[in-house]
Amino acid sequence: MAGFRIRDLNALRMVPHPAVTLIVEFGAGSPVLDCAAGPRLGSIAAGPGFGSGGAVRAWGENVECVQVRLSPVIARAVLGASPADLDGAVVPLGDLWGRSAARVREQLSETSSWQDRFALTDALLARRHEAGPPVDPEVAWAWHRIVGSRGLARVDGLAAEVGWSRKRLWSRFRLQLGLPPKRAVRLVRFDHAAHRLVAGESAAQVAANAGYADQSHLHRDVMAFTGATPATMTGEPFLTVDDIAWPSAGT
């Protein structure tokens, strides 16, 4: 979870992440996302891998919002809809939560500190998660296996490990989490590699340790996910937004 307060947000590249992304705005301004379907304003939800290809940019003035990255395993309960219904697109949060989205916006705007805003958001997500339907245990196990291996799990072995047919696991995984297992493996591997590159490791070292065939394979994957070279991607500020408020200079 991260908090944004930015006077002038200028064409920030959205870097794909293996999570469902929620952006809940509450300030005087409003973030705008430019994507394939056209501009999206205000609070939104987006499926895993949102921003793939590097074509999505965020901009706006006097932007104040809370960003949450939800594991796809809990996203269906929290959203009230399967991540598959998002299909990688951007959906207004009001379409999923109805009037609750407007109430959350009001509560966040009336809260004075980031700590209290995060606590309020946490409580809301916990309530929705508790009331919503869980994913199949086998699907959850396969997802955690992929994440725990940092994208190095053998996709063909997942079905055998949970005792399902390949067809059944692929179908249920895609339906409940919003992407097929092979795409999930690739996205998790990319995310791990991206953060290692940002941490200062060389592309050759990351390629060797993150499961890529070679440095060219890593380069192609980074280009496919971000539209940028590995060297350019490491400077993207969006990659710094993990467990901290959006950066200290802007809060």
Side-chain angles (χ1 to χ4, degrees):
M1 188 180 300
F4 293 67
R5 179 183 289 135
I6 308 176
R7 290 185 178 181
D8 186 11
L9 179 62
N10 184 21
L12 175 71
R13 189 197 309 261
M14 307 297 283
V15 176
H17 191 272
V20 170
T21 299
L22 298 183
I23 297 178
V24 186
E25 62 86 17
F26 59 87
S30 181
V32 179
L33 295 179
D34 278 326
C35 48
R40 293 291 184 267
L41 284 74
S43 300
I44 60 93
F50 165 61
S52 290
V56 179
R57 296 289 195 279
W59 56 274
E61 295 181 354
N62 298 316
V63 172
E64 290 185 279
C65 60
V66 171
Q67 175 194 279
V68 181
R69 285 173 174 166
L70 292 174
S71 166
V73 170
I74 70 168
R76 183 170 68 155
V78 171
L79 295 178
S82 169
D85 295 337
L86 305 179
D87 197 24
V90 178
V91 176
L93 197 56
D95 288 359
L96 300 172
W97 287 0
R99 294 180 181 178
S100 294
R103 287 197 295 270
V104 172
R105 184 188 192 284
E106 292 174 2
Q107 290 173 323
L108 288 172
S109 67
E110 294 169 355
T111 304
S112 59
S113 72
W114 285 114
Q115 290 77 10
D116 289 342
R117 291 183 189 118
F118 294 156
L120 187 155
T121 306
D122 267 335
L124 166 70
L125 299 180
R127 288 194 302 271
R128 294 190 64 92
H129 179 225
E130 185 176 350
V135 303
D136 292 332
E138 294 84 355
V139 171
W141 185 92
W143 172 260
H144 292 308
R145 179 84 170 82
I146 291 170
V147 173
S149 71
R150 295 176 174 174
L152 297 180
R154 293 183 59 84
V155 175
D156 290 340
L158 292 175
E161 291 180 37
V162 301
W164 279 3
S165 69
R166 184 183 185 278
K167 182 178 180 180
R168 184 182 184 189
L169 178 61
W170 263 234
S171 174
R172 301 292 286 180
F173 194 103
R174 170 70 177 84
L175 176 66
Q176 296 183 9
L177 303 190
L179 71 174
K182 187 174 182 179
R183 172 74 171 175
V185 164
R186 188 176 169 214
L187 182 57
V188 169
R189 182 181 62 187
F190 158 76
D191 180 67
H192 175 60
H195 284 85
R196 293 184 72 159
L197 289 168
V198 171
E201 294 186 34
S202 69
Q205 184 177 7
V206 171
N209 294 333
Y212 291 92
D214 52 33
Q215 191 171 335
S216 295
H217 184 197
L218 170 64
H219 183 96
R220 291 193 302 271
D221 223 33
V222 171
M223 285 290 296
F225 275 114
T226 69
T229 66
T232 300
M233 182 202 64
T234 58
E236 294 294 338
F238 193 70
L239 285 170
T240 69
V241 184
D242 287 312
D243 300 321
I244 59 174
W246 175 263
S248 56
T251 58

